[in-house]
Amino acid sequence: MPKKFVYFFTQSHTEGRKEMKNLLGGKGSGLAEMCSIGLPVPAGFTLTTDVCDLYFKNDRRFPKGLEAEVVKNLKRLEKTTGKKFAAADDPLLVSVRSGAPVSMPGMMETILNLGLTDRSIEGLARKTGNRRFAIDAYRRFITMYGSTAMGLEREAFDTALARLKEERTRRRLHAPVERKINDTDISADELEELVKVYKAIYREKTGRDFPQDPLEQLWGAIRAVFDSWMADKAVTYRRVENLRNISGTAVNIQQMVFGNMGERSGTGVCFTRDPNTGENTFYGDYLINAQGEDVVAGIRTPMKLAEFEKKDPVSYRQLVNVRRVLESHFKEMQDLEFTVEEGKLFMLQCRTGKRSPMAAFKIAVDMAQEKLISKKEAILRIKDKDIEGIFYPVIDPAQREAMRQYYLVTGIDAVPGAATGKVVFTAHDAEAWTARGEKVIMVRKETSPEDVGGMHAAQGILTATGGKTSHAAVVARGWGKCCIVGCEKLTIDYEREQFAVGQTVVHKGEEITLNGSTGDVFRTALKLIRPELPAAYKSLLEWADDIRRLGVRTNADTPYDAQRAVELGAEGIGLCRTEHMFFDTEERRQAIQEMIVADTVEERIRALDRLLPYQREDFKGIFTAMDGCPVTIRLIDPPLHEFVPHDEAKQRELAAKIGISYELVRARVEQLHEANPMLGHRGCRLAITYPEILDMQVRAIIEAACECQQQGVDVRPEIMVPLTMDRKELQVLDTRIRKVSDAIIAASGRKLSYLVGTMIEVPRAALLADQIAQVAEFFSFGTNDLTQMTLGISRDDAGKFLPDYVDEKKAGVFHDDPFQSLDQEGVGMLVRMGIEKGRRIRPKLKVGICGEHGGEPKSVEFCYRVGMDYVSCSPFRVPIARLAAAQARIKEETADRNSRRPVSRKRQTKTNKGPTRRTKR
Ligand code: ADP
Ligand code: MG
Ligand code: MG
């Protein structure tokens, strides 16, 4: 059977369904679904995304058989509506609307009022008894067709319209200059004149008359919609948003209904719940006597739904009914477009509504409580972006009027949150102005690594170029700093220190506001608020905690971080780096430097003795903050040269302070130099060479633990050896750790249990995990190093070329940056194998992950699937990991159920192990 290219929709005969989004696009499947549940939708038909695909594969030619199918469906549409396409008496007019499987706001084309010709316009005027309306529709159509199908500059039409308003309408009305002339002020005669001007423009620019054959119009419009799929901006958008495997856009051809027929007509957009707050209230805008884009284009100020209700209660009630039907049908907040034609409501679009992070939580939790969806469904609906977003400052939503008034332009929403500040154009200014206490927004064409200082100082970043993976976006995201990129309407003039959006010029020093969650830029300082964590957030994360099996710990080096992480839901510390403590104060720095330049073991021990009390105090702080939770402390990891000064002045200073010669210091520093420090003298290799360092650190940990325990704190230390590559190596260190620890514990007369384990971050350790598990009581996968070493790519240098490996247009080797999202195939193989081998020897081996992957949702899901006990991530990613862990379990259950097999044996033994397999408190 040949492929079906066209799907018809009307209440009594609908060929599509909501599940056919890939084939019919979001709009087409939504229209079909609304028809099939009996909502009032103007009839029409949808050309599938396959047609678009074939069109491009076939050198922009329509596939065979399409024409016949379109003609057949047009006939059917004529029959359904009882009107003839573009007829001279009561013409059928249509809209030709794009609609891809994913929404691409503002990227694609739509043409309204198609079928209007010099002949059919008379019919429309007669039939409706409203000549002005008919001509108005015609002039709109010429503009849309000219600019969209023929690629003419829209500006020519807009200029002519503006001139007509000034030269004719204003004079006729004797309107003073300060009064704005609206489109609705223009008379029928004036519009008639405008149409003549438009046609002349069309002829001048295309060399042809405006087409009077409606079928020519139709095919021209279909072609225009398809072509818009491959327009530069659309292609760029898909790349930036990482939208792949979408074959094209569908085209919807739909009977026109008219919101511009007078006071009992109008057009609007609405959300079934408030998309900003999530409140279960009806939210939207309505414009009387208007068509299509008038609402969003800001031609006149629309009214709120409450006012609509007062003005036209009959139409409003129909809309309220639609809201109810749609929410209970889709069980999701819907974004609706509708038109009222002389008191009768027509639905023109429905889709899942975009919402603020706050609204996402509120809606999910409310819907679960309304029993519209299950708690699990509610959990699955939250994205990591929603969690990130909920902690960022936002624009106080009370300022809606100001937001409308000062709106400037929209770019790509790279990092959510909001920021206000004065515009600066260089990193230097950003830093200097911030230093003197000003808040700034850094505006650049693009950013480069030299700008990082300024970017860090700035409240927010705005760039004219680049996508969500550009330098600016990636860097800002790392800091959680509000950032808008790819704002292409921005013309930046560094020389004159200003930027322009069309006619509007913004100078250095002027205040702007960025909304990184939407990409909107405002030309004023709007008020920002730090959102209270809403009750819905708390409920939802509690539900997530009930469901997940995977523990969530944090990486924290200070009591402050530890405390913060606990508040965010961390159940322990998975990685406490001890070396950061050495930099904290001058005294500490000096002691560690003295230790490093020391010539003899005795000297070294003396310096270490000075460090001991500091470390002990640090650990006491952390144990206290983490009362009752495990704390994994990693022994010193970085190469020693990172601790010593490299310039002469500082070296001389150090020499003077510790009373040795400058030459000696310099010689020692030179000795420490390594060609490849990442693979040099670091991690546990240091402890093999200088066991006295290990002694001091272990002493500090265990003494702190004993003291805390005495004060009633429940301490659970886990001592972790970094960079292990061999069983024997670990054995040597393990013996030493236990010797020191057990002596202290014995002397204290207390009972204290502790664990000794290792990081698995060298491929060899993963390969020999069974041997290593003979010694280690736990594994923590250090996937940052493991990724570097498995891929043979240094993370610090990868920025220059790794993007090409992710970019599908270049190499497209990786779907995601392997340093951000775990390379599940390669590195993941080592992880999986390491766990299997380790547990073969030691079934109760505790396994976790530390490093940034532990807070990245896809990696967290992987960690759950391979049977880890916990993930550990930076404090502010803890809630994301909690959510991702719950989602991983829900997805697994669903998959198990769908495969119709009982839960697999392996998983059963895992879950049956109960508490020993869980670190959850
Ligand atoms: P977009 O994808 O940009 O939202 P649409 O295809 O939804 O474009 O069209 C934009 C607007 O045009 C709609 O919201 C609606 O107001 C108007 N419109 C589209 N089709 C029709 C129609 N058949 N009758 C009346 N208005 C229509
Ligand atoms: Mg729309
Ligand atoms: Mg490491």
Side-chain angles (χ1 to χ4, degrees):
M1 208 176 87
K3 233 181 194 164
K4 183 172 165 63
F5 289 137
V6 181
Y7 286 71
F8 198 79
F9 59 84
T10 183
Q11 277 190 14
S12 56
H13 180 80
T14 304
E15 297 175 331
R17 274 176 290 113
K18 69 170 190 285
E19 289 76 16
M20 295 161 82
K21 207 164 156 180
N22 279 334
L23 189 65
L24 302 181
K27 208 176 283 168
S29 62
L31 288 168
E33 191 73 11
M34 285 196 288
C35 276
S36 66
I37 57 174
L39 293 178
V41 175
F45 52 90
T46 305
L47 278 58
T48 66
T49 54
D50 283 347
V51 178
C52 184
D53 193 34
L54 290 168
Y55 173 75
F56 286 108
K57 282 189 177 144
N58 203 8
D59 235 358
R60 303 200 187 217
R61 279 191 304 264
F62 295 119
K64 241 179 50 210
L66 177 69
E67 195 181 335
E69 255 192 87
V70 167
V71 169
K72 196 177 88 192
N73 277 278
L74 193 59
K75 287 253 145 59
R76 184 185 270 168
L77 187 59
E78 289 182 332
K79 213 168 134 204
T80 308
T81 59
K83 294 170 194 262
K84 285 259 176 281
F85 184 40
D89 44 359
D90 178 14
L92 165 67
L93 303 177
V94 296
S95 62
V96 177
R97 318 171 64 188
S98 60
V102 291
S103 140
M104 298 170 53
M107 294 295 144
M108 311 281 295
E109 305 294 359
T110 283
I111 296 177
L112 307 181
N113 307 332
L114 191 138
L116 275 179
T117 61
D118 293 350
R119 245 159 58 93
S120 64
I121 186 182
E122 299 302 333
L124 185 66
R126 242 190 336 268
K127 176 76 193 173
T128 59
N130 189 340
R131 182 166 185 78
R132 187 194 177 284
F133 149 75
I135 309 169
D136 186 53
Y138 199 22
R139 66 100 187 165
R140 287 171 190 268
F141 174 48
I142 298 173
T143 307
M144 274 184 276
Y145 192 84
S147 59
T148 304
M150 304 304 291
L152 307 184
E153 299 265 340
R154 211 189 156 99
E155 213 171 312
F157 296 110
D158 290 345
T159 313
L161 174 65
R163 184 175 309 149
L164 179 92
K165 279 187 191 167
E166 288 308 314
E167 291 177 3
R168 296 290 314 274
T169 315
R170 184 181 293 286
R171 269 196 221 156
R172 174 174 51 77
L173 295 173
H174 302 294
V177 274
E178 62 281 1
R179 202 198 122 189
K180 188 175 172 235
I181 304 292
N182 285 323
D183 289 4
T184 41
D185 294 328
I186 309 174
S187 72
D189 289 347
E190 285 159 0
L191 280 172
E192 200 129 17
E193 227 170 282
L194 187 66
V195 165
K196 283 198 191 114
V197 177
Y198 275 14
K199 281 187 181 164
I201 295 174
Y202 187 94
R203 195 176 319 114
E204 187 201 325
K205 307 260 172 182
T206 63
R208 295 166 59 189
D209 282 332
F210 189 75
Q212 296 295 318
D213 172 3
L215 280 175
E216 180 189 340
Q217 294 177 354
L218 184 64
W219 286 104
I222 293 172
R223 192 178 286 279
V225 171
F226 282 150
D227 285 343
S228 68
W229 176 252
M230 281 297 177
D232 284 347
K233 63 176 180 180
V235 173
T236 307
Y237 182 86
R238 290 196 294 276
R239 183 160 45 81
V240 168
E241 294 286 329
N242 218 347
L243 303 173
R244 303 177 196 189
N245 306 323
I246 313 170
S247 50
T249 179
V251 180
N252 301 286
I253 293 163
Q254 187 178 25
Q255 180 192 9
M256 281 302 300
V257 289
F258 297 100
N260 48 339
M261 280 180 67
E263 294 304 300
R264 289 181 58 231
S265 305
T267 180
V269 294
C270 61
F271 292 86
T272 56
R273 300 188 186 213
D274 187 323
N276 291 319
T277 63
E279 293 298 329
N280 192 357
T281 54
F282 205 9
Y283 177 98
D285 288 327
Y286 182 69
L287 202 54
I288 287 185
N289 195 10
Q291 185 173 62
E293 307 289 64
D294 292 2
V295 193
V296 272
I299 292 173
R300 279 176 286 145
T301 308
M303 59 177 73
K304 298 272 150 270
L305 290 185
E307 204 184 329
F308 175 30
E309 178 177 14
K310 274 193 223 129
K311 283 250 155 77
D312 186 354
V314 178
S315 308
Y316 180 77
R317 265 202 303 279
Q318 298 170 57
L319 189 63
V320 170
N321 184 46
V322 167
R323 172 195 185 205
R324 190 182 46 76
V325 171
L326 280 179
E327 268 220 351
S328 64
H329 182 72
F330 283 101
K331 307 189 188 317
E332 230 326 356
M333 187 264 265
Q334 295 289 304
D335 170 351
L336 309 176
E337 294 177 8
F338 63 94
T339 282
V340 176
E341 181 182 296
E342 308 215 291
K344 172 147 178 42
L345 174 76
F346 291 95
M347 297 311 299
L348 293 170
Q349 192 168 330
C350 72
R351 64 185 153 197
T352 301
K354 292 223 169 88
R355 60 205 77 185
S356 74
M358 209 171 9
F361 281 98
K362 173 98 178 117
I363 291 171
V365 169
D366 281 357
M367 286 193 167
Q369 271 156 1
E370 292 159 24
K371 302 262 184 271
L372 219 49
I373 58 176
S374 67
K375 282 184 181 176
K376 286 179 183 173
E377 178 59 37
I379 290 169
L380 288 177
R381 284 195 183 171
I382 302 296
K383 309 266 172 295
D384 55 329
K385 231 181 118 168
D386 297 325
I387 294 191
E388 273 173 27
I390 214 155
F391 289 97
Y392 296 149
V394 293
I395 294 173
D396 185 345
Q399 307 162 95
R400 261 176 209 150
E401 209 27 67
M403 283 162 74
R404 198 196 300 281
Q405 191 180 339
Y406 292 106
Y407 168 80
L408 184 61
V409 68
T410 300
I412 297 167
D413 51 332
V415 186
T420 69
K422 295 181 177 168
V423 170
V424 295
F425 293 99
T426 64
H428 176 267
D429 281 348
E431 287 184 81
W433 289 36
T434 305
R436 64 175 200 236
E438 308 244 38
K439 290 186 166 180
V440 303
I441 304 284
M442 191 162 143
V443 182
R444 300 283 303 166
K445 285 178 189 159
E446 76 260 299
T447 63
S448 65
E450 297 89 77
D451 296 326
V452 166
M455 293 164 73
H456 196 256
Q459 303 295 310
I461 298 148
L462 170 63
T463 71
T465 63
K468 283 190 172 176
T469 51
S470 65
H471 178 263
V474 171
V475 172
R477 195 169 301 126
W479 299 325
K481 183 169 306 236
C482 169
C483 177
I484 297 174
V485 297
C487 193
E488 283 170 3
K489 290 202 181 126
L490 226 59
T491 322
I492 301 178
D493 187 337
Y494 287 137
E495 210 126 281
R496 291 155 76 183
E497 306 196 297
Q498 63 184 41
F499 71 79
V501 177
Q503 301 299 316
T504 314
V505 178
V506 177
H507 302 91
K508 175 168 146 181
E510 283 187 52
E511 287 185 310
I512 60 171
T513 301
L514 308 184
N515 185 349
S517 313
T518 58
D520 293 340
V521 182
F522 303 89
R523 204 192 156 178
T524 186
L526 294 170
K527 185 175 164 225
L528 305 187
I529 51 173
R530 190 163 283 282
E532 276 272 302
L533 286 185
Y537 163 86
K538 287 174 196 146
S539 313
L540 195 119
L541 274 130
E542 272 168 29
W543 298 348
D545 287 342
D546 286 343
I547 283 173
R548 73 186 159 90
R549 287 289 165 90
L550 189 65
V552 176
R553 297 196 195 179
T554 190
N555 301 346
D557 309 340
T558 63
Y560 174 80
D561 279 353
Q563 187 53 46
R564 222 180 107 90
V566 169
E567 281 158 20
L568 293 169
E571 299 152 330
I573 290 183
L575 174 65
C576 172
R577 303 175 182 87
T578 51
E579 55 271 10
H580 288 189
M581 302 170 174
F582 296 144
F583 292 107
D584 231 27
T585 61
E586 190 47 41
E587 294 148 300
R588 293 174 179 215
R589 208 161 18 235
Q590 196 186 318
I592 181 91
Q593 289 174 341
E594 205 173 320
M595 186 279 284
I596 292 169
V597 297
D599 235 0
T600 63
V601 180
E602 291 71 36
E603 278 171 30
R604 214 163 19 247
I605 290 179
R606 212 170 325 128
L608 284 165
D609 281 347
R610 299 224 321 271
L611 277 171
L612 175 70
Y614 295 126
Q615 286 238 297
R616 193 168 48 214
E617 284 312 303
D618 290 337
F619 293 139
K620 276 165 67 178
I622 288 175
F623 286 139
T624 310
M626 300 304 296
D627 190 356
C629 303
V631 175
T632 308
I633 298 169
R634 181 181 71 181
L635 302 178
I636 190 169
D637 184 54
L640 296 183
H641 75 89
E642 282 189 15
F643 298 95
V644 290
H646 292 265
D647 60 293
E648 184 177 333
K650 291 250 171 65
Q651 289 178 354
R652 285 193 182 278
E653 204 180 306
L654 176 64
K657 266 193 211 144
I658 58 180
I660 58 171
S661 76
Y662 155 68
E663 284 71 26
L664 201 69
V665 171
R666 198 188 61 186
R668 186 74 180 113
V669 171
E670 267 164 26
Q671 245 176 31
L672 289 173
H673 174 79
E674 291 176 322
N676 192 348
M678 194 185 86
L679 304 178
H681 199 184
R682 56 176 285 224
C684 64
R685 324 276 181 268
L686 288 169
I688 294 284
T689 316
Y690 309 113
E692 53 281 4
I693 302 180
L694 175 145
D695 291 351
M696 182 280 285
Q697 290 202 299
V698 172
R699 174 168 292 277
I701 295 167
I702 299 297
E703 285 180 357
C706 287
E707 281 178 42
C708 283
Q709 202 190 48
Q710 195 149 26
Q711 287 157 16
V713 179
D714 176 5
V715 277
R716 307 184 181 186
E718 304 180 346
I719 299 174
M720 180 158 78
V721 175
L723 227 64
T724 301
M725 62 171 165
D726 184 78
R727 184 197 64 78
K728 180 89 183 293
E729 178 189 45
L730 185 62
Q731 184 66 71
V732 169
L733 300 175
D734 180 80
T735 308
R736 187 127 186 163
I737 291 168
R738 292 190 184 280
K739 195 172 132 214
V740 175
S741 304
D742 294 344
I744 298 166
I745 295 167
S748 78
R750 310 188 65 86
K751 266 182 71 179
L752 175 80
S753 51
Y754 63 93
L755 301 180
V756 181
T758 183
M759 292 191 65
I760 303 288
E761 52 186 336
V762 175
R764 191 175 196 274
L767 294 167
L768 303 179
D770 44 353
Q771 296 182 22
I772 289 176
Q774 290 169 5
V775 184
E777 291 176 296
F778 65 88
F779 283 176
S780 176
F781 284 87
T783 47
N784 295 346
D785 268 309
L786 192 58
T787 301
Q788 296 202 91
M789 296 194 213
T790 304
L791 273 60
I793 290 178
S794 139
R795 181 161 65 149
D796 302 321
D797 301 315
K800 294 197 196 99
F801 56 88
L802 201 55
D804 292 351
Y805 277 70
V806 182
D807 187 344
E808 214 182 6
K809 280 205 163 153
K810 291 267 179 63
V813 173
F814 296 113
H815 192 276
D816 300 291
D817 178 338
F819 289 107
Q820 278 166 24
S821 188
L822 189 75
D823 158 35
Q824 299 185 14
E825 207 185 340
V827 178
M829 168 95 78
L830 284 172
V831 172
R832 197 188 293 270
M833 193 175 86
I835 297 174
E836 270 167 27
K837 285 184 160 236
R839 291 229 171 105
R840 215 178 294 148
I841 298 302
R842 194 187 287 265
K844 287 196 174 159
L845 183 76
K846 208 196 256 194
V847 181
I849 184 177
C850 56
E852 278 313 295
H853 292 123
E856 190 277 323
K858 282 188 242 172
S859 313
V860 172
E861 185 180 341
F862 173 83
C863 293
Y864 172 67
R865 277 193 277 118
V866 297
M868 285 196 192
D869 298 282
Y870 69 88
V871 294
S872 185
C873 55
S874 50
F876 70 96
R877 306 223 36 115
V878 163
I880 292 174
R882 288 159 68 197
L883 176 80
Q887 291 178 340
R889 175 142 192 249
I890 297 169
K891 282 187 210 161
E892 182 193 54
E893 283 177 352
T894 319
D896 282 347
R897 209 174 316 123
N898 289 350
S899 68
R900 278 170 223 262
R901 276 186 280 109
V903 181
S904 74
R905 270 232 339 257
K906 213 167 96 207
R907 177 60 67 194
Q908 232 163 28
T909 43
K910 180 177 179 294
T911 44
N912 285 349
K913 277 194 183 137
T916 56
R917 293 274 297 107
R918 297 169 53 169
T919 25
K920 274 180 67 175
R921 255 193 300 172

